Amino acid sequence: MDDAQRIVEFIPRLRRYARALAGDRTRADDLVQDTLERAWNKFHLWRPGSDLRAWLFTVMHNVHVNQIRASRDHAMLDDEGAEMAIAGTQGASLEIRDLERALALLPAEQKEVLLLVALEDMSYAEVAGALGIPIGTVMSRLSRAREKLRSAMHGVPAAARLQVVK
């Protein structure tokens, strides 16, 4: 199997993760496109024998972070401070809508870890390698993300969550 075919096999997983990160199909498709372009151009940096899936998710993570930074820089230069539109969820079930809202409330670093572990079924070690963080950090971010998600899904107000944590 050639290199291109090996990368193509992971596109559905990349799209799923990008959709969860971006929250919008169009932005997710752009993220996948940018990730595939960068991965192809930097494929010589991939170490044969290592986990190609983890490497591709690392590339996607880095592209996503760069896009966020670029959009923040652009927003600071923009006098109007335009906000990105959020797609309607009229066709989705209420539970999916609530889950998407709860995920959107998570800090980016917690959401990334949660999605890689829960959605992509990556091990803690794989997530640590993909994001360039220690396994302990993966575990603590995942724990915090799960707790925040659980609270948000069960309707516990933020003030009550703070009182419980104290």
Side-chain angles (χ1 to χ4, degrees), residues 37-163:
E37 180 182 4
R38 170 113 18 110
W40 188 251
N41 289 332
K42 302 289 184 179
F43 195 71
H44 64 280
L45 298 174
W46 177 68
R47 291 183 311 235
S50 65
D51 187 354
L52 180 59
R53 176 182 67 146
W55 184 78
L56 289 169
F57 278 97
T58 300
V59 172
M60 179 172 279
H61 168 76
N62 292 336
V63 168
H64 180 65
V65 168
N66 290 342
Q67 288 176 347
I68 290 172
R69 285 183 185 143
S71 69
R72 284 184 186 155
D73 292 345
H74 179 71
M76 290 186 336
L77 296 175
D78 186 7
D79 292 336
E80 297 176 13
E83 296 181 22
M84 299 192 85
I86 298 175
T89 58
Q90 292 83 1
S93 73
L94 292 175
E95 288 180 3
I96 292 173
R97 184 198 65 201
D98 290 346
L99 178 60
E100 287 175 345
R101 287 180 179 171
L103 281 170
L105 296 174
L106 293 176
E109 62 273 358
Q110 291 177 11
K111 183 165 75 170
E112 290 170 343
V113 169
L114 179 70
L115 292 172
L116 289 173
V117 170
L119 186 64
E120 293 304 324
D121 200 30
M122 292 175 78
S123 71
Y124 293 173
E126 290 172 325
V127 173
L131 300 180
I133 57 176
I135 290 178
T137 303
V138 169
M139 294 167 63
S140 64
R141 287 180 184 177
L142 181 61
S143 176
R144 283 190 220 112
R146 285 177 173 162
E147 183 56 37
K148 286 181 183 179
L149 194 61
R150 192 176 300 116
S151 295
M153 292 298 291
H154 294 294
V156 178
R161 285 195 305 263
L162 290 175
Q163 291 173 354

